[in-house]
Amino acid sequence: MSTDMKTQHKFQTIADIIHRQIQNDVWLVGEKLPSIRTICREYNISLNTATRAYSELERRTLIESRPRSGYFVLPNHRNQISIPTISQPTELMVQEIESKLINKVFDTINDDNITRLSLGVPDEALLPVAKLNKTMMQAIRKLPGSGTRYEEIQGNLNLRRNIARWSFTWGGNLSADDIVITAGAMDAIACCMMTLTQPGDTIALESPVFFGILQLAKSLGLNVLELPTHPTNGIDIAALENNLSQIKACLLVSNFNNPLGSCMPENHKKKVVELLNKHNIPLIEDDLYGDVYFTSKRPLPCKSFDRTGSVLWCGSVSKTLAPGYRIGWVAPGKYKSQIIRWKLIHSVSTTTLTQEAIALFLENGRYENHLRKMRNTLYTNSLQFIRVISQHFPEGTRISHPQGGFVLWIECPKPIDTNELYERAIKHKISIAPGRMFTLQPQFHNCMRLSYGLPWTDYLERQLALLGTLAKSLLK
Amino acid sequence: MSTDMKTQHKFQTIADIIHRQIQNDVWLVGEKLPSIRTICREYNISLNTATRAYSELERRTLIESRPRSGYFVLPNHRNQISIPTISQPTELMVQEIESKLINKVFDTINDDNITRLSLGVPDEALLPVAKLNKTMMQAIRKLPGSGTRYEEIQGNLNLRRNIARWSFTWGGNLSADDIVITAGAMDAIACCMMTLTQPGDTIALESPVFFGILQLAKSLGLNVLELPTHPTNGIDIAALENNLSQIKACLLVSNFNNPLGSCMPENHKKKVVELLNKHNIPLIEDDLYGDVYFTSKRPLPCKSFDRTGSVLWCGSVSKTLAPGYRIGWVAPGKYKSQIIRWKLIHSVSTTTLTQEAIALFLENGRYENHLRKMRNTLYTNSLQFIRVISQHFPEGTRISHPQGGFVLWIECPKPIDTNELYERAIKHKISIAPGRMFTLQPQFHNCMRLSYGLPWTDYLERQLALLGTLAKSLLK
């Protein structure tokens, strides 16, 4: 009994020590704590005691354990920050796309001297470049004609098979024959939109929404209906329901939406799909962030609730492996033959080599290994970002708390114009994506999207703090 | 003098011997004759005598010399075959695209057991696969991020620079900044068509015309105006002029057109461009065969006569290097910013790795070396095809005599239905492209396109002869 008592006492002592360290910012939010083994050595305690100390800290919701990664400091509840407000787009007022703004932001995309918080892809440092190279060499050796031949129009069979296999991680029941390979997710979405709509049709989108989708819809002569969207739960289902009669198609980034980071709960997804199925409205589901989850398992896509083949599930490896490979896909349900036909007519086939390389990368388990690391890095980064933003940004700033992906949606106090903030920040070599890029309506002028898909460094922390200071200066 | 006489006599004797050999099919049309050196050895004559013997045969138009390649047997004038008749599309009758037929033909595209006379690309045996592989390895080593990064939207600068440099072969005056890289020529054309037209607009095309262009135009809701086209000189300029008021854009495959093989003479090109410039009608010029010429120099594209920036000059390396790399381009003249914008919105960027590989291949002179060989092989093949077709196809069959490219247009006697011939031929593992694939009008039912971009073998000769026999059987 006394041993037990003593052990209990000891693990609590250790837990208290670390608890104080966390309170005193010895360990920062998002940082990895020393391993159990290190704790044992440092405090000269048993494995059992160290494990119980960490369990105690988990119970106090100060830290969390992540499988195969260790223990990490959770956000500090003393500084809890509100999430952004729910968007309220008004149907009536529709303005032009902020093309000049978008082009300006894009112009900094290849400038390594700029802290590109505006980026829509994870930094190269987070990608498995060396392993992809090896796989590419394999692909060149393996392919007949070393990749000079046209690939099948529908796409590399091995790649389609592996994507189908991969879909089992979300309970998908796809076969290789259900999938069509495209030159990235935007190509998949463009293909879907052009197949499903005519100029003058209306398409329902989230608000805010990735500007590329707005540009695409407008370029095809579509009317855009932006739906109110919750920063955690996604679109307002009632608003969708009220507008069903006028929409021809719906497009949702259902998992870790760009730019909000929202992820629709499963029952919402089910409800939306049932609603759309009932009214025979196709849903283009852009699920290119679904594999980058911080929770214990992958969120299901809307596709998994589809009973009528009306969900066109799109994905890519541009955000997780290789943007420059241009590999995406769509499982177009009942629209498959139309999609294949459109693809044949507009681009014949997708690059042969990069398809095979991605197929091999998926096949041999390298993808899952890479994703595990990437998820941990991104989650830690997201917590670091939230910590620094909560410390340095103006009071009243709201921040999304995404459970996946790599972007944060920041809502500054109303007087702050993020277009103006962009201009000030770029002088300090910081690039952000102002909120007005993500809507066709007069909203989000005080919002911005920040990417945390960058390697976390002291310099980055200073730049992020500086951005907060610049934002504050706009209040004066 | 006696020496001279004797020499004269000797070279004539040798010329007569070879003349008889050619008449007796010892040397077949398109075959390479023994080298001068071999002739010297064989007949124990001087270099001078052998050279003069071959000059004599050239004078008799029995053979021709090709730079760096040797002497080749010309088509036999005794069996001179007529070229196909000029198409006479009637505006009024427009039918649906023969999609089922096209799909059927496409289904055989990856079956190595089939003699694919239907192919729209040269056989892999004609492509420099090993050298491309080396270049690809170089590209992987050279590129930052080994090609995982997004490439610039407009395209790899090095590639654009080399295409601009290459344009000097036809007197082009392009700079890297004038060029936009696309995922193959079809992607370039699709991009141009979508930028220049709206559903309901009319586009003028050659007749017959590559079915992919018909499919693309129809998929965009365009009306297609097929213009009468001469098998050697291209479209009927008067017909174009008469219809200018109703057309929004014009698309021409100006050099070694697919499927006719026609190449517009320079003065025709000039006239067409002046006409279109005057009426402010843009011309999409699909010049993807221009580098594969059998004449002494590359034919000029229409682009070289453009004074107003209204010619959108499209090209690719899909027909000369690597179909599966998906690299094409367009020099869009005054439409450049619209084209770049469309590209950004619809596909972001083109595959990074394959762009760099092609850039390096062009840069180090490998492309010109390869083209020189390829042109000789294809020219020889074209003569072999014409010889075998003239021997084995039904009397009255007409054949195009292309001066470049790799397709022949065959016009059989009227009673022969080439859809029916396709069905019979495929049973013998021969695939052809029936004429009806190349029009929206009730014409060309007795025509077909045959590709000579295949390695010439005895087996191929037998299959081609068999195709002729099958065609004859349809006359009974």
Side-chain angles (χ1 to χ4, degrees):
Chain A
M1 292 301 135
S2 76
T3 323
D4 238 347
M5 282 293 289
K6 214 179 154 193
T7 312
Q8 195 176 28
H9 185 68
K10 216 182 219 166
F11 88 76
Q12 278 181 331
T13 310
I14 304 295
D16 289 343
I17 294 171
I18 301 174
H19 191 150
R20 271 195 303 279
Q21 287 179 330
I22 291 172
Q23 281 185 318
N24 296 330
D25 287 343
V26 174
W27 306 110
L28 298 177
V29 173
E31 276 191 338
K32 190 179 170 178
L33 290 165
S35 70
I36 297 266
R37 200 168 293 271
T38 309
I39 292 287
C40 290
R41 212 169 39 232
E42 214 160 286
Y43 295 97
N44 196 22
I45 55 177
S46 71
L47 202 70
N48 184 32
T49 307
T51 307
R52 289 185 71 185
Y54 272 4
S55 297
E56 173 63 15
L57 289 166
E58 275 189 286
R59 204 189 50 77
R60 299 180 195 172
T61 68
L62 286 162
I63 68 167
E64 67 173 348
S65 93
R66 287 186 229 150
R68 307 193 202 201
S69 297
Y71 290 85
F72 291 79
V73 181
L74 281 173
N76 190 330
H77 291 282
R78 285 174 308 171
N79 295 338
Q80 184 70 52
I81 300 185
S82 304
I83 58 168
T85 48
I86 300 171
S87 66
Q88 293 296 346
T90 50
E91 291 177 57
L92 296 173
M93 295 180 290
V94 170
Q95 42 188 38
E96 279 307 296
I97 294 175
E98 292 263 9
S99 298
K100 274 187 195 164
L101 178 62
I102 293 170
N103 292 343
K104 202 154 58 177
V105 173
F106 252 84
D107 276 351
T108 65
I109 220 158
N110 280 319
D111 186 343
D112 288 334
N113 295 316
I114 290 177
T115 305
R116 284 160 293 180
L117 301 171
S118 56
L119 270 186
V121 282
D123 189 272
E124 195 173 296
L126 276 59
L127 302 179
V129 174
K131 280 184 186 145
L132 274 171
N133 270 358
K134 267 192 206 164
T135 318
M136 180 57 80
M137 301 294 182
Q138 269 180 277
I140 293 174
R141 281 192 300 270
K142 191 186 156 193
L143 282 169
S146 300
T148 54
R149 287 189 196 177
Y150 282 125
E151 184 50 88
E152 240 184 273
I153 297 159
Q154 190 171 347
N156 179 303
L157 180 62
N158 193 21
L159 178 56
R160 290 188 282 122
R161 200 180 283 139
N162 273 287
I163 293 165
R165 208 172 283 165
W166 190 254
S167 78
F168 283 94
T169 59
W170 47 264
N173 191 19
L174 299 174
S175 75
D177 197 45
D178 296 322
I179 291 162
V180 181
I181 304 300
T182 60
M186 269 318 281
D187 186 41
I189 292 169
C191 197
C192 292
M193 243 191 235
M194 288 192 275
T195 301
L196 298 172
T197 65
Q198 298 287 329
D201 285 344
T202 297
I203 187 164
L205 305 173
E206 288 138 328
S207 182
V209 58
F210 170 50
F211 52 87
I213 292 169
L214 286 178
Q215 289 178 312
L216 177 63
K218 295 297 282 184
S219 83
L220 299 175
L222 302 180
N223 300 315
V224 167
L225 177 69
E226 293 181 48
L227 296 170
T229 306
H230 187 279
T232 308
N233 295 339
I235 57 156
D236 180 338
I237 299 179
L240 175 66
E241 196 162 10
N242 289 337
N243 287 287
L244 283 177
S245 62
Q246 59 168 312
I247 66 173
K248 186 66 182 288
C250 185
L251 187 156
L252 299 176
V253 187
S254 50
N255 295 320
F256 321 126
N257 167 298
N258 169 5
L260 268 189
S262 63
C263 181
M264 297 173 78
E266 285 182 14
N267 60 334
H268 282 216
K269 284 173 181 152
K270 192 160 179 277
K271 228 179 259 175
V272 165
V273 173
E274 279 168 3
L275 206 57
L276 294 174
N277 274 356
K278 198 173 134 198
H279 291 80
N280 202 20
I281 298 170
L283 169 62
I284 304 170
E285 181 176 34
D286 185 5
D287 188 18
L288 76 173
Y289 306 106
D291 289 335
V292 191
Y293 52 87
F294 306 152
T295 46
S296 59
K297 71 181 199 39
R298 193 198 195 286
L300 301 184
C302 293
K303 180 77 177 176
S304 62
F305 301 104
D306 183 23
R307 297 285 163 266
T308 65
S310 310
V311 177
L312 301 93
W313 177 71
C314 303
S316 88
V317 292
S318 299
K319 308 300 181 187
T320 51
L321 284 179
Y325 277 22
R326 311 311 299 125
I327 298 298
W329 59 83
V330 51
K334 66 181 175 188
Y335 304 100
K336 193 181 90 174
S337 63
Q338 283 166 264
I339 293 284
I340 292 177
R341 194 177 145 69
W342 188 271
K343 184 187 170 188
L344 163 64
I345 291 174
H346 286 252
S347 58
V348 190
S349 65
T350 309
T351 310
T352 308
L353 261 181
T354 49
Q355 287 191 71
E356 180 70 20
I358 297 296
L360 293 173
F361 203 88
L362 290 178
E363 190 176 53
N364 59 23
R366 286 179 182 160
Y367 192 44
E368 181 52 36
N369 278 336
H370 159 64
L371 281 176
R372 210 177 292 130
K373 278 181 226 150
M374 191 182 192
R375 286 178 200 127
N376 275 315
T377 307
L378 287 174
Y379 182 45
T380 307
N381 282 7
S382 77
L383 298 179
Q384 298 278 26
F385 265 65
I386 292 172
R387 174 179 61 79
V388 175
I389 293 168
S390 68
Q391 284 168 0
H392 295 277
F393 275 53
E395 206 169 322
T397 296
R398 291 160 169 260
I399 315 176
S400 62
H401 285 69
Q403 291 303 298
F406 49 87
V407 294
L408 287 176
W409 183 248
I410 316 287
E411 186 179 329
C412 294
K414 286 263 183 226
I416 292 176
D417 179 339
T418 48
N419 281 20
E420 176 63 24
L421 181 59
Y422 176 88
E423 298 298 342
R424 296 210 184 177
I426 201 71
K427 286 182 189 139
H428 297 272
K429 301 216 167 291
I430 301 168
S431 171
I432 62 168
R436 258 171 286 180
M437 290 167 67
F438 303 93
T439 181
L440 291 175
Q441 311 229 352
Q443 54 178 350
F444 311 138
H445 75 274
N446 56 326
C447 299
M448 68 186 125
R449 186 192 73 181
L450 298 185
S451 167
Y452 52 85
L454 303 167
W456 185 252
T457 61
D458 289 347
Y459 178 71
L460 178 58
E461 175 158 356
R462 285 199 302 278
Q463 288 285 77
L464 194 54
L466 173 56
L467 182 64
T469 309
L470 294 171
K472 277 180 187 159
S473 74
L474 285 173
L475 281 175
K476 284 162 196 162
Chain B
M1 292 300 134
S2 78
T3 321
D4 239 346
M5 281 294 287
K6 212 177 155 193
T7 310
Q8 199 178 26
H9 185 68
K10 216 181 217 168
F11 86 77
Q12 280 182 328
T13 310
I14 303 295
D16 289 343
I17 293 171
I18 300 175
H19 191 148
R20 269 195 303 280
Q21 286 180 330
I22 292 172
Q23 281 185 317
N24 295 330
D25 288 344
V26 173
W27 306 110
L28 298 179
V29 174
E31 276 190 338
K32 191 181 170 178
L33 289 166
S35 69
I36 297 267
R37 201 168 292 272
T38 309
I39 292 287
C40 291
R41 213 170 38 233
E42 214 161 285
Y43 295 98
N44 196 21
I45 55 177
S46 71
L47 202 67
N48 185 32
T49 308
T51 309
R52 289 184 72 184
Y54 273 3
S55 299
E56 172 64 16
L57 289 166
E58 274 188 287
R59 203 187 52 76
R60 299 182 195 173
T61 67
L62 285 163
I63 69 167
E64 69 174 349
S65 94
R66 286 187 231 151
R68 305 192 202 203
S69 296
Y71 292 84
F72 292 79
V73 181
L74 281 173
N76 191 330
H77 291 281
R78 284 175 307 171
N79 296 337
Q80 186 71 52
I81 299 184
S82 306
I83 57 169
T85 48
I86 300 172
S87 67
Q88 293 297 347
T90 50
E91 291 177 58
L92 297 172
M93 296 181 290
V94 170
Q95 44 187 39
E96 279 308 297
I97 294 176
E98 293 262 9
S99 300
K100 274 188 194 161
L101 178 62
I102 293 170
N103 292 344
K104 203 155 56 176
V105 174
F106 252 84
D107 277 350
T108 64
I109 220 159
N110 280 318
D111 186 343
D112 288 334
N113 294 318
I114 290 176
T115 304
R116 283 161 294 178
L117 300 171
S118 56
L119 269 187
V121 283
D123 189 274
E124 197 172 296
L126 276 59
L127 303 177
V129 174
K131 279 182 186 149
L132 274 170
N133 268 358
K134 266 192 205 164
T135 318
M136 179 57 79
M137 300 293 183
Q138 269 180 277
I140 293 174
R141 281 192 300 270
K142 192 186 156 193
L143 283 169
S146 301
T148 55
R149 287 191 195 174
Y150 282 124
E151 185 49 87
E152 242 185 272
I153 298 158
Q154 192 172 346
N156 179 303
L157 179 62
N158 193 23
L159 178 56
R160 289 187 284 123
R161 199 179 285 136
N162 274 287
I163 292 166
R165 205 172 285 163
W166 189 255
S167 78
F168 283 93
T169 59
W170 48 263
N173 191 18
L174 300 174
S175 76
D177 198 44
D178 296 321
I179 291 163
V180 181
I181 306 298
T182 60
M186 269 318 281
D187 186 42
I189 292 170
C191 198
C192 293
M193 243 191 235
M194 289 192 273
T195 301
L196 299 172
T197 65
Q198 299 286 328
D201 285 344
T202 297
I203 188 163
L205 305 174
E206 288 139 327
S207 183
V209 57
F210 170 50
F211 52 86
I213 292 170
L214 287 177
Q215 289 177 313
L216 177 61
K218 294 298 281 183
S219 83
L220 299 175
L222 302 179
N223 300 315
V224 167
L225 177 69
E226 294 180 48
L227 296 170
T229 307
H230 186 278
T232 308
N233 295 338
I235 57 155
D236 179 339
I237 300 180
L240 175 66
E241 196 162 9
N242 289 339
N243 287 286
L244 281 177
S245 63
Q246 60 167 314
I247 67 174
K248 187 65 181 290
C250 184
L251 187 156
L252 299 176
V253 186
S254 49
N255 296 321
F256 321 125
N257 167 297
N258 169 4
L260 267 190
S262 63
C263 181
M264 298 173 76
E266 286 181 13
N267 60 335
H268 282 216
K269 284 173 182 153
K270 192 159 179 276
K271 228 180 260 176
V272 164
V273 173
E274 279 168 2
L275 206 58
L276 294 173
N277 274 357
K278 199 173 134 197
H279 290 81
N280 202 21
I281 297 170
L283 169 63
I284 304 170
E285 181 177 32
D286 185 6
D287 188 18
L288 75 173
Y289 307 105
D291 289 334
V292 191
Y293 51 88
F294 305 152
T295 46
S296 59
K297 71 183 201 39
R298 192 198 194 284
L300 301 184
C302 293
K303 180 77 177 174
S304 63
F305 301 103
D306 183 24
R307 298 286 163 265
T308 65
S310 310
V311 177
L312 302 95
W313 177 70
C314 303
S316 89
V317 292
S318 300
K319 308 299 182 187
T320 50
L321 285 178
Y325 277 22
R326 311 311 299 125
I327 299 298
W329 57 82
V330 52
K334 66 181 176 188
Y335 304 99
K336 192 182 89 174
S337 62
Q338 284 166 264
I339 292 285
I340 292 177
R341 197 178 143 67
W342 188 270
K343 184 186 171 185
L344 164 65
I345 291 175
H346 287 252
S347 59
V348 191
S349 64
T350 309
T351 310
T352 308
L353 261 182
T354 48
Q355 287 190 70
E356 181 69 20
I358 297 296
L360 293 173
F361 203 88
L362 290 179
E363 191 174 53
N364 60 23
R366 287 180 183 161
Y367 191 42
E368 181 51 38
N369 278 337
H370 159 64
L371 282 176
R372 209 176 294 129
K373 277 180 227 151
M374 192 183 190
R375 287 178 199 126
N376 275 316
T377 308
L378 288 173
Y379 182 46
T380 307
N381 282 6
S382 77
L383 299 180
Q384 298 279 25
F385 265 64
I386 292 172
R387 175 180 59 81
V388 175
I389 293 169
S390 68
Q391 285 169 359
H392 294 278
F393 275 52
E395 206 168 322
T397 296
R398 292 161 168 261
I399 315 177
S400 62
H401 284 70
Q403 291 302 301
F406 48 88
V407 293
L408 288 176
W409 184 248
I410 316 287
E411 186 180 329
C412 293
K414 286 263 183 226
I416 291 176
D417 179 339
T418 49
N419 281 20
E420 175 63 24
L421 180 60
Y422 176 88
E423 298 298 343
R424 296 211 184 175
I426 201 70
K427 286 184 189 139
H428 296 273
K429 300 213 168 294
I430 302 169
S431 171
I432 62 169
R436 258 172 285 180
M437 290 168 69
F438 303 92
T439 183
L440 292 174
Q441 312 229 352
Q443 54 179 350
F444 309 138
H445 75 274
N446 55 326
C447 298
M448 66 185 125
R449 185 191 74 182
L450 298 185
S451 166
Y452 51 84
L454 302 168
W456 185 254
T457 61
D458 288 348
Y459 179 70
L460 178 56
E461 176 160 353
R462 283 199 303 276
Q463 288 285 79
L464 194 55
L466 173 56
L467 182 64
T469 308
L470 293 171
K472 277 182 187 159
S473 74
L474 285 172
L475 280 174
K476 283 160 199 165

